[in-house]
Amino acid sequence: MNIRYFLGSILTIPLLPLMYLQGKRIRSKVPSLPEAEGTEGIVSCGNKNRLKMLTIGESTIAGVGVKTHKEGFSGTLAKELSSKLNTDIHWKVYAKSGYTAKKVTEKIVTRIQEHKVDIVVIGLGGNDAFTLNNPKKWRIHIQQLINTLKAKFKNAVIVFANMPPIKEFPAFTPLIKATLGNLVEILGKELEQLVKNQKGVYYYSRIITIESWIKRLNIKAESSVFFSDGVHPSKFTYQVWAKDLSNFIINQQEIKIILQQRLN
């Protein structure tokens, strides 16, 4: 049993009616933004070799907050990896706003047409926190996702991106930030433990905070530019996030070796 989750649940139950009312108020004020356009692209660096990358997940991977995927997370990640690996990257997005890990497995992975994929990047956690999914079910759903991906793409590297920084969302009340923010961090710890000894599966466990990003990445920007609607990332944030994740991927020696072997 996850003690932090158990204690948090005891404290949260009496507050659920208030959270429900606050949630309704937030939904009425936050604009409904569309998903990004252009779910597929190629980043070319003039090299005859090519890697195929899929990005799958919830609204952040679906690009809510930017006009096109090319200028958002997936396109930027492909561009960064192409530069760092000196290879062409063919990228494609399979994502849906509002989807949990369970829904991604059942409704997205099953309709992926590709057969040969080199790397799969996954962005999840927000909707599982919003629906108050518990750590035990989350582990089951994530393992099912991993198993399904491994069965479909036997040699693909699987990378889970950071959990969403719910505690940073400007549109959320302090109560919702604390409650859902703590839950998403708990789910992140469960994910970290789950993939620790699974070959070919990786998780960037660093917790995102605006302050740490600004300091660590030497960003010259005000905190107000990081969100498009108070919940979803802005174009600027998607690009910063993608660059940070690309560094994590390249710094994993096992991943780098696997991908370079595909290029030889």
Side-chain angles (χ1 to χ4, degrees):
M1 177 185 293
N2 189 304
I3 299 300
R4 185 181 174 190
Y5 174 77
F6 176 72
L7 294 175
S9 298
I10 293 174
L11 295 173
T12 300
I13 289 174
L15 299 173
L16 287 176
L18 178 58
M19 288 178 60
Y20 174 76
L21 292 174
Q22 291 182 353
K24 284 188 66 176
R25 192 176 302 115
I26 291 169
R27 284 192 293 271
S28 69
K29 291 182 178 180
V30 173
S32 180
L33 299 178
E35 296 176 355
E37 300 174 354
T39 58
E40 187 172 6
I42 296 174
V43 179
S44 179
C45 67
N47 194 315
K48 65 179 181 178
N49 296 318
R50 176 181 294 182
L51 293 174
K52 182 61 179 288
M53 178 183 78
L54 300 184
T55 56
I56 67 175
E58 55 189 7
S59 60
T60 49
I61 305 301
V64 173
V66 288
K67 185 175 181 180
T68 69
H69 284 289
K70 184 178 180 180
E71 64 183 2
F73 176 80
S74 297
T76 304
L77 180 60
K79 182 179 178 181
E80 291 294 319
L81 291 177
S82 173
S83 175
K84 290 176 171 67
L85 293 169
N86 190 32
T87 185
D88 292 2
I89 302 285
H90 180 192
W91 57 271
K92 191 168 183 179
V93 180
Y94 286 94
K96 186 67 177 176
S97 182
Y99 272 21
T100 60
K102 187 173 187 290
K103 279 191 175 181
V104 165
T105 303
E106 295 175 346
K107 297 188 176 185
I108 289 183
V109 178
T110 53
R111 66 178 177 85
I112 294 176
Q113 301 298 315
E114 284 76 11
H115 297 289
K116 184 181 181 299
V117 173
D118 298 294
I119 181 168
V120 180
V121 177
I122 304 165
L124 286 168
N127 291 304
D128 282 276
F130 299 156
T131 55
L132 302 180
N133 198 2
N134 67 62
K136 183 177 180 180
K137 286 184 178 179
W138 163 256
R139 284 179 72 103
I140 292 172
H141 296 160
I142 290 295
Q143 190 61 64
Q144 289 172 340
L145 174 58
I146 292 170
N147 293 344
T148 304
L149 288 171
K150 283 190 169 184
K152 198 173 186 72
F153 310 116
K154 291 181 170 43
N155 298 313
V157 171
I158 299 172
V159 178
F160 286 87
N162 322 62
M163 299 295 276
I166 292 177
K167 289 181 178 179
E168 301 284 324
F169 290 0
F172 283 8
T173 64
L175 173 60
I176 292 181
K177 282 183 182 180
T179 304
L180 299 186
N182 286 336
L183 176 55
V184 84
E185 289 177 6
I186 290 170
L187 298 183
K189 285 293 183 182
E190 293 289 330
L191 175 56
E192 184 177 12
Q193 291 297 317
L194 181 65
V195 307
K196 184 180 294 183
N197 298 313
Q198 298 199 44
K199 187 176 180 181
V201 185
Y202 306 85
Y203 166 51
Y204 191 17
S205 60
R206 185 189 292 270
I207 295 175
I208 296 173
T209 68
I210 302 304
E211 184 179 357
S212 67
W213 257 4
I214 289 174
K215 289 181 178 179
R216 183 167 57 86
L217 303 176
N218 194 28
I219 296 171
K220 306 297 183 184
E222 298 295 326
S223 58
S224 59
V225 307
F226 285 88
F227 294 91
S228 58
D229 58 0
V231 176
H232 294 98
S234 63
K235 173 183 173 180
F236 176 79
T237 299
Y238 276 123
Q239 294 181 353
V240 170
W241 183 29
K243 290 175 184 177
D244 192 30
L245 184 64
S246 75
N247 290 331
F248 167 78
I249 291 172
I250 294 301
N251 288 333
Q252 299 300 306
Q253 193 63 22
E254 291 179 358
I255 298 179
K256 194 172 183 180
I257 290 172
I258 291 171
L259 294 181
Q260 286 177 336
Q261 286 175 342
R262 306 273 171 86
L263 298 173
N264 294 332

